[in-house]
Amino acid sequence: MEQTWRWWGPKDIISLAHVRQTGATGIVTALHDIPAGEVWTKEAIMERKRFIEDAPDLGLRWSVVESLPVAEPIKIGEGDLTELFDNYRESLRNLGACGVDTVCYNFMPVLDWARTDLAAPVAGGGRGLRFNQHEFAAFDCYILRRSGAEADYSEDVLRRAKVWFQSSDEEVRAKLLSNIMAGLPGAFDRYDVEGLKVILGRFKNVSTERLRENLKRFLDEVVPTAEEAGVRMAIHPDDPPWGLLGLPRIVGNEDDLAFIVGAHDSLSNGLTFCTGSLGANPKNDLPAMAARFAGRVNFVHLRNVTKDPDGSFAEAEHLGGDVDMVGVVSALLQEQKRRKDAGDPRWRLPFRPDHGHELLDDIGKPTHPGYPAIGRLRGLAEIRGVMTAVSQLQGLPV
C-alpha cells in the first residue's frame, strides 16, 4: 500500500522534507484557497504539483486530492445546479490531465467531522480528539436551541447535557462551538450560532431519502467524466456516522456503501475506507466491510477509536482501539494482490495514517486539529509494521 500523508499546503508548519522523513512518499492535499463550486484550473493544479514534486531528492508525488469539495446547493438540491456540475466536471478533467488521478470527497451536510474536545487527555500527558455525546447535546439543545433536538438524545444524555450547560460559562460555550466548527478544513466557512441556524434552515426539507437522491444525481453528473479523465473518486464516510443537528447522513454503514457502489458500476465511483469514521458505529464490522467493498476502495484512512455506550468516542492509538486493524489491512492487501494479478497499473492502494495524538514536543503546536506530526508518524510506523508482517505471512505484495 502506498504510504501517504495529508499536507495542508505551502503554509503547513510540517514541511515536505518532514513528510519524507516519516517514510511517506505520497502527498494528500487540496487547493484549499479555491472556494467550493469554483473550477480548479490546470495552472493552479500544476503550480501545486510542481511544488510537491520538483525536489527530486524527496521523491514525493501528489497522490490524492482531499478534498474536491461538493458545494452545499448540490447536497440540498437547491436551484439551478448546471454551473456547479459543469465546474466540478471541469476540475476532474483538469486533475486527470495533470496526472492527479484519485479524488476524495464527502457528502456531509454543513459539517465535516465533528468533535467536542480537541485536546482530550491521553496516557502520559498527550492529547487527542474526542466526541462527547452530552456536550454535543448541550450545544444542540441549549446553545443552538434547535426545535425538536431533545428527541435525538437519550434521557441520560439530556440530563448530563443540562448539567454541563448549567455549569458552563460563555467562554466554555464559545469554545465548544469553535471545537465543533474545527472539522471544516481549509477555505470552508465557519459559522456562529446564528449563521449555523441559517444554513441548517436551508436543509429543513432534505430528508435521508432526498439526500440519497441528491447524491445519486451528483454521481450521475460526474462519474462519466471521472471515467473519461482517468480519475478514481472516493467518497468519505460520515464522521460521526449518524445524523447531527437534525441533518441526515447517508455514508455511515454497510447498506449506505452498497447503495453508493450500486449507483454506478465503475471504479471511478469508489470509496474512501475510513476505519475511524466507520469504526464509531458499533454495528459496523470493519474487516467484513473491507472485504466486501475492497474492489471499490480507492483510498484508505487508517485510525482507531474507542466507543462508549452513549455514542461518545475517543480517537485512540492506531492499533489500540476497537477496530481490528490487522483484519482490515489483511483484506486490503488481498485486494491489492487481486488488482496486481489482473494487470491494474494502479494496483497499490494509497493510505494515510488518519489523525493522531499530540505527543512529546508537538503538544500545543499550531497544527490542524488531529494532524500533528509525531502522533501521525507513530501511527504510520505502526501500520507499516502491520502491513509488513501480514504481507510476509500471507505472501501478499505490500
Side-chain angles (χ1 to χ4, degrees):
M1 293 167 71
E2 181 187 13
Q3 300 174 43
T4 70
W5 187 271
R6 189 166 193 180
W7 179 68
W8 295 93
K11 294 183 180 180
D12 194 333
I13 68 170
I14 301 169
S15 70
L16 292 175
H18 293 156
V19 173
R20 189 64 186 88
Q21 291 174 36
T22 71
T25 56
I27 295 296
V28 177
T29 193
L31 304 181
H32 293 297
D33 55 317
I34 300 178
E38 296 189 10
V39 173
W40 288 19
T41 65
K42 290 180 182 179
E43 292 75 17
I45 294 166
M46 286 306 301
E47 180 181 359
R48 178 60 55 84
K49 194 169 190 283
R50 284 191 292 267
F51 192 98
I52 293 167
E53 299 180 3
D54 276 2
D57 58 317
L58 297 182
L60 299 174
R61 77 181 192 102
W62 188 356
S63 299
V64 180
V65 170
E66 186 179 352
S67 296
L68 182 59
V70 179
E72 295 298 319
I74 292 176
K75 301 172 190 175
I76 300 169
E78 177 183 73
D80 183 358
L81 301 176
T82 303
E83 183 177 2
L84 290 175
F85 286 130
D86 285 345
N87 289 353
Y88 206 97
R89 286 189 288 262
E90 185 64 19
S91 296
L92 289 175
R93 292 188 192 98
N94 291 341
L95 284 163
C98 294
V100 185
D101 54 19
T102 303
V103 172
C104 175
Y105 69 101
N106 75 68
F107 217 75
M108 289 180 260
V110 183
L111 298 175
D112 282 7
W113 57 265
R115 302 291 184 272
T116 60
D117 191 344
L118 307 183
V122 299
R127 309 195 306 194
L129 304 182
R130 181 173 174 82
F131 181 92
N132 284 318
Q133 189 74 271
H134 73 282
E135 290 180 351
F136 198 87
F139 174 78
D140 195 5
C141 298
Y142 300 114
I143 298 175
L144 186 64
R145 297 182 181 179
R146 179 174 63 88
S147 177
E150 291 81 2
D152 290 346
Y153 305 98
S154 70
E155 290 185 8
D156 177 65
V157 167
L158 289 173
R159 177 187 58 78
R160 288 185 288 124
K162 188 173 183 179
V163 169
W164 182 93
F165 180 75
Q166 290 176 336
S167 64
S168 66
D169 57 25
E170 289 302 319
E171 182 178 355
V172 170
R173 296 168 191 172
K175 180 65 173 177
L176 179 60
L177 172 63
S178 176
N179 289 348
I180 292 170
M181 290 298 107
L184 298 175
F188 285 62
D189 292 332
R190 268 57 172 173
Y191 302 104
D192 58 16
V193 170
E194 293 307 312
L196 188 54
K197 289 179 178 179
V198 171
I199 186 63
L200 290 177
R202 290 172 60 190
F203 278 89
K204 65 180 179 180
N205 295 320
V206 180
S207 63
T208 297
E209 293 72 23
R210 183 173 175 187
L211 189 61
R212 269 195 170 188
E213 292 170 2
N214 294 344
L215 173 57
K216 177 62 165 59
R217 179 183 176 188
F218 171 76
L219 295 173
D220 290 344
E221 293 279 356
V222 306
V223 168
T225 299
E227 289 179 327
E228 294 168 5
V231 171
R232 295 181 179 179
M233 298 184 65
I235 192 169
H236 189 285
D238 302 330
D239 186 10
W242 54 75
L244 296 176
L245 305 180
L247 297 165
R249 290 192 162 195
I250 56 171
V251 195
N253 58 43
E254 191 165 356
D255 288 343
D256 292 336
L257 300 190
F259 171 82
I260 292 164
V261 300
H264 279 270
D265 186 14
S266 167
L267 198 54
S268 288
N269 174 36
L271 308 172
T272 296
F273 198 84
C274 178
T275 56
S277 299
L278 295 170
N281 184 341
K283 296 180 180 180
N284 286 338
D285 181 337
L286 272 293
M289 291 172 69
R292 176 179 176 182
F293 297 109
R296 299 291 282 278
V297 171
N298 290 335
F299 184 34
V300 183
H301 289 177
L302 296 178
R303 63 178 173 85
N304 222 319
V305 294
T306 54
K307 300 182 286 291
D308 297 336
D310 70 350
S312 302
F313 61 89
E315 299 200 357
E317 299 170 1
H318 284 72
L319 302 184
D322 299 336
V323 174
D324 177 2
M325 195 66 71
V326 175
V328 170
V329 170
S330 296
L332 297 175
L333 289 176
Q334 290 281 357
E335 171 61 17
Q336 277 200 156
K337 182 178 187 302
R338 186 196 67 79
R339 294 187 189 188
K340 185 177 183 182
D341 291 347
D344 184 348
R346 294 161 58 184
W347 59 271
R348 295 189 73 207
L349 285 170
F351 85 93
R352 66 174 179 83
D354 193 18
H355 294 182
H357 291 163
E358 289 186 8
L359 304 172
L360 305 175
D361 62 354
D362 264 353
I363 296 173
K365 284 186 178 179
T367 54
H368 287 264
Y371 290 95
I374 296 172
R376 286 188 289 161
L377 168 59
R378 175 183 175 178
L380 179 59
E382 291 175 343
I383 294 164
R384 184 187 298 131
V386 170
M387 287 168 39
T388 302
V390 170
S391 67
Q392 290 186 4
L393 289 171
Q394 300 185 19
L396 302 170
V398 72

